[in-house]
Amino acid sequence: MELAKAYVQIVPSAKGIGDGISQAIGKDADNAGTQAGKSIASKIKNAIIAAGIGKTITSIISSAISEGGALEQSIGGIETIYKESADRMKQYANEAYKSAGISANAYMEQATSFGASLLQSLGGDTKAAADYANRAIVDMSDNANKMGTDIGMIQNAYQGFAKQNYTMLDNLKLGYGGTKEEMQRLIRDASMMKDIQDKLNISVDEGDLSFGNIINAISVMQEHLDITGTTAQEASSTIEGSFNAMKASAQNFLGNLALGENIKPSLDALITTTGTYLRENLFPAIGNVIFALPSALSSIASIGWDLGMDLLNGLSEGFSGNVTTFINNIFPMLVQFSSTIKEKAGLLVDAGLNLLMQLAQGIAGGLPTLIETIPQIVSNIANIINENMPKILQAGWDILI
């Protein structure tokens, strides 16, 4: 960025450099300074182009503007739905890079998508709606990480629950099918897990099919199945999880940069997640590969040698005795086969001679027709050649040329 700024500042001042040098040297060097200034600017410009800095800057600005625009729109949706609890939701969103492995913008888009239904099910309590929404989004990410289900399928399932549509309940892989009866069974099972409800500081009403109660029931069941908290754990302990956290924090930084917000928290998060990804996950994994490679190659070579020896030994053992058995079995069969041919040879010869005789008789019977038609056939072919020979010769000449 500083290099690009220097280029912008130096180019307009090139003429001024020239004037100064002219005055110092004399009239014979009137253009020396201008040429020097242009040369410096040209070198800086070429350096920028060669380093790809211009494209990088443009790409960063474009990404920041795009992320900022989406973030601005998402903030508007959060403020509209969650009203006085909007700041609470924004705080949850800023922490989503490590709690849910997604950016603040993606978090707020999801919270907005079912926010109205959630708020209605909670009687308009915006604070409770914010807490429920946060837990639901974290549950979605935990479920995707633990069960390997595409996060989009899980998000669609929750949006369906908000509209009393339970057909995608089986997307969560909690052991319940996609029907209303199965959702009622899940709620009933969760309602009996009082110890987990106390741990999560929530309650599940056995006969309540409201969206808020469904979120609570799923939270209880995922805690029961040890699904809860996997995203946060993976954000620091796995390559993929720490990469997702780094990616989300980078998106947050770009969005805040475009909106003119305080970028220090998001920049700190980006630095931290990048360090976690590189230092604690990627580099150790690369080190493990490098450390294990010689041993792996040695093992592969050893296995290859052992397999080769096993193959040779197997062939040797297979040949031992079996070749003799093969000869002893096959040659008596060949003797029997040749004896059979010998016995039937007369019949075979008679059949062959009869075939030749019938063929000769057929040709003899057709000789009058052959004698009659062959001259006409030859004449027709000769006429075809005579009539088309000029074309053929011309085409041959053209091809040759």
Side-chain angles (χ1 to χ4, degrees):
M1 184 66 78
E2 294 299 326
L3 187 57
K5 187 184 297 182
Y7 169 65
V8 172
Q9 292 173 345
I10 287 173
V11 172
S13 62
K15 187 176 183 302
I17 296 172
D19 293 340
I21 294 176
S22 262
Q23 292 174 6
I25 298 177
K27 295 181 179 180
D28 292 337
D30 281 344
N31 294 324
T34 300
Q35 294 302 321
K38 288 181 178 179
S39 176
I40 294 171
S42 177
K43 289 181 179 178
I44 293 175
K45 178 181 178 181
N46 291 337
I48 291 173
I49 293 173
I53 295 174
K55 289 184 179 179
T56 303
I57 293 172
T58 301
S59 177
I60 292 173
I61 292 174
S62 176
S63 299
I65 292 173
S66 177
E67 190 68 26
L71 185 61
E72 190 172 34
Q73 188 172 6
S74 296
I75 290 173
I78 289 294
E79 291 174 344
T80 299
I81 293 177
Y82 293 91
K83 297 179 176 64
E84 62 272 14
S85 297
D87 288 341
R88 189 180 188 87
M89 283 302 297
K90 292 175 188 177
Q91 183 60 38
Y92 282 139
N94 288 333
E95 297 295 320
Y97 72 92
K98 58 183 178 182
S99 64
I102 56 177
S103 68
N105 178 53
Y107 179 96
M108 288 190 281
E109 285 178 345
Q110 187 61 32
T112 302
S113 68
F114 56 66
S117 297
L118 180 58
L119 195 61
Q120 183 180 7
S121 72
L122 296 173
D125 186 340
T126 58
K127 180 178 179 298
D131 293 339
Y132 275 57
N134 179 66
R135 183 155 37 81
I137 294 172
V138 173
D139 282 345
M140 291 182 208
S141 296
D142 287 344
N143 189 287
N145 284 324
K146 185 74 171 184
M147 299 303 188
T149 307
D150 179 69
I151 185 65
M153 295 176 63
I154 298 174
Q155 291 170 344
N156 290 337
Y158 270 79
Q159 290 173 6
F161 303 156
K163 302 171 184 175
Q164 290 79 52
N165 181 349
Y166 313 111
T167 57
M168 290 180 282
L169 174 58
D170 53 351
N171 287 358
L172 274 61
K173 299 179 181 178
L174 299 177
Y176 299 87
T179 65
K180 179 180 180 181
E181 290 73 21
E182 284 291 273
M183 178 62 82
Q184 290 173 326
R185 185 167 71 89
L186 185 153
I187 293 173
R188 183 170 59 254
D189 291 346
S191 69
M192 293 185 288
M193 300 176 184
K194 300 297 184 183
D195 54 337
I196 297 179
Q197 293 179 47
D198 292 340
K199 178 181 178 181
L200 299 178
N201 194 27
I202 60 177
S203 62
V204 178
D205 185 345
E206 178 180 354
D208 185 2
L209 272 172
S210 68
F211 186 38
N213 198 58
I214 289 173
I215 289 176
N216 282 352
I218 293 173
S219 293
V220 169
M221 190 57 63
Q222 294 202 163
E223 176 69 27
H224 172 67
L225 296 173
D226 293 328
I227 297 174
T228 303
T230 54
T231 303
Q233 181 181 0
E234 289 186 1
S236 60
S237 61
T238 68
I239 294 175
E240 183 178 3
S242 59
F243 176 80
N244 289 336
M246 180 183 68
K247 179 182 176 182
S249 60
Q251 291 174 314
N252 291 345
F253 171 73
L254 291 175
N256 291 328
L257 188 67
L259 295 182
E261 300 287 342
N262 178 15
I263 63 171
K264 187 178 184 307
S266 58
L267 181 58
D268 289 343
L270 177 57
I271 293 171
T272 300
T273 53
T274 301
T276 300
Y277 171 65
L278 295 176
R279 184 178 59 255
E280 299 181 21
N281 294 284
L282 182 61
F283 290 162
I286 294 174
N288 291 338
V289 171
I290 294 174
F291 180 78
L293 192 57
S295 176
L297 292 175
S298 176
S299 298
I300 292 171
S302 176
I303 291 171
W305 174 265
D306 291 342
L307 288 174
M309 291 301 298
D310 288 344
L311 176 61
L312 292 175
N313 290 332
L315 290 173
S316 176
E317 292 174 2
F319 284 146
S320 177
N322 289 328
V323 174
T324 302
T325 302
F326 174 78
I327 293 173
N328 291 338
N329 289 334
I330 195 64
F331 277 89
M333 291 175 62
L334 291 176
V335 171
Q336 180 63 38
F337 180 65
S338 63
S339 298
T340 302
I341 292 177
K342 178 182 177 182
E343 293 173 4
K344 306 295 183 182
L347 297 175
L348 180 62
V349 171
D350 289 343
L353 293 175
N354 183 54
L355 173 63
L356 293 175
M357 182 62 68
Q358 295 299 325
L359 180 60
Q361 290 177 352
I363 293 173
L367 278 177
T369 303
L370 288 173
I371 293 172
E372 181 182 349
T373 56
I374 283 177
Q376 185 62 42
I377 294 171
V378 171
S379 176
N380 289 338
I381 292 173
N383 288 336
I384 291 171
I385 294 173
N386 290 335
E387 292 172 2
N388 292 280
M389 184 57 66
K391 294 180 181 180
I392 296 172
L393 291 175
Q394 183 62 46
W397 177 254
D398 291 341
I399 292 171
L400 182 60
I401 294 301

